[in-house]
Amino acid sequence: MKVNFFVTCLCDTVKANVAKKTVLLLEQLGCEVIFPEEQGCCGQPSLNSGYIEGSKPAMKNLIRAFECNDLPIVTPAGSCAASVKRYPEYLASEPEWAERAQKVADRLFELTQFIVNHLGTENVGARLEGRAVYHPSCSLIRKLNVREEPLKLLANVEGLEMLPIANQETCCGFGGTFSVKMSEISGEMVKEKVHHISDVEPDYLIGADISCLMNIGGRISREGKPIKVMHIVDVLMSR
């Protein structure tokens, strides 16, 4: 199967290894990965801040980039996927663009969602020894309804024991610009999240959204906790 890869800004600038491993994993699963070079930022930061009109050039650029073919679009970032899914709503006053946005949104899938539901794979042959907590990001479970797919993949990682924590599906407090505008509230939310994670003494914290992992990982680091923070693709490519 041929697929388009939507890299996202954080993958490109902060966690390049997540992008590289996503491509390698998809290739390992039999996909030919295509990278439309015209792609750029999806506009999520400005969209979350309410600057819809100012975000339209970025949205239209991304639409044009992925109109190069009609193949599935795969991304390792649920938050960016959720933003693109709302493009038709943001562009409703321009029916032609809204229609084009809908066609792109319909082809866009978060990585674990694509692997489990479209490739029909739950075991990618990964192996990682240790105890882990999975953080289900708000973008995945609340905006994309991707709840079980990451858990199915992690359940098949040889040697990995998944641990439940209190209030597992509670927001970590990042929320994009929320963590900037409401920093004190955000800080208390991530503090509580790390407290619950630390209670079960895991070796790893695993998530499928880089932004949440940066937020939680930052708090873990400041508290000096010996917990390794990993994107789910890092786990799925472990051998």
Side-chain angles (χ1 to χ4, degrees):
M1 181 184 293
K2 293 183 178 180
V3 300
N4 294 301
F5 179 44
F6 172 31
V7 66
T8 78
C9 296
L10 285 180
C11 269
D12 185 37
T13 60
V14 180
K15 294 290 184 181
N17 279 337
V18 169
K20 294 175 183 177
K21 289 179 182 179
T22 297
V23 172
L24 292 173
L25 178 59
L26 289 170
E27 290 177 341
Q28 175 183 300
L29 296 173
C31 295
E32 179 182 340
V33 181
I34 297 169
F35 182 81
E37 295 184 6
E38 294 79 10
Q39 65 180 283
C41 179
C42 68
Q44 181 186 172
S46 54
L47 288 168
N48 287 350
S49 299
Y51 299 107
I52 309 302
E53 286 300 317
S55 304
K56 285 185 176 180
M59 289 190 281
K60 292 177 179 178
N61 178 71
L62 197 73
I63 292 168
R64 282 191 293 264
F66 287 107
E67 285 178 330
C68 60
N69 56 51
D70 60 357
L71 302 173
I73 306 163
V74 182
T75 182
S79 59
C80 293
S83 287
V84 176
K85 291 288 188 182
R86 292 190 65 186
Y87 276 12
E89 173 189 339
Y90 295 135
L91 294 166
S93 62
E94 301 178 59
E96 179 186 344
W97 276 105
E99 182 180 353
R100 292 167 69 177
Q102 189 64 61
K103 290 178 179 178
V104 169
D106 289 343
R107 294 190 286 120
L108 179 62
F109 304 97
E110 184 272 332
L111 178 63
T112 65
Q113 177 187 41
F114 182 75
I115 292 173
V116 173
N117 299 337
H118 295 271
L119 296 183
T121 300
E122 294 183 9
N123 189 337
V124 301
R127 177 181 176 82
L128 181 66
E129 294 286 343
R131 294 153 45 91
V133 168
Y134 170 71
H135 170 65
S137 70
C138 295
S139 293
L140 263 72
I141 64 174
R142 295 182 173 87
K143 296 180 180 179
L144 297 176
N145 197 30
V146 175
R147 178 176 268 102
E148 298 300 322
E149 292 88 340
L151 297 175
K152 288 178 179 179
L153 290 165
L154 292 171
N156 284 291
V157 175
E158 187 178 350
L160 190 64
E161 179 187 358
M162 300 304 301
L163 307 171
I165 64 170
N167 299 330
Q168 188 130 14
E169 294 191 353
T170 299
C171 178
C172 72
F174 181 67
T177 52
F178 172 80
S179 61
V180 177
K181 295 179 178 179
M182 304 288 182
S183 58
E184 291 187 8
I185 298 174
S186 173
E188 289 302 309
M189 291 172 73
V190 73
K191 180 180 178 181
E192 179 183 58
K193 174 66 69 171
V194 170
H195 172 72
H196 291 319
I197 293 169
S198 301
D199 276 348
V200 299
E201 299 182 347
D203 301 299
Y204 312 106
L205 168 69
I206 302 168
D209 255 316
I210 291 174
S211 52
C212 295
L213 292 177
M214 290 172 59
N215 186 43
I216 304 172
R219 182 73 196 188
I220 287 173
S221 176
R222 289 191 293 276
E223 293 189 11
K225 305 290 185 182
I227 303 169
K228 184 175 181 179
V229 179
M230 302 180 74
H231 189 279
I232 193 168
V233 79
D234 293 321
V235 178
L236 298 179
M237 286 299 290
S238 297
R239 297 293 184 270

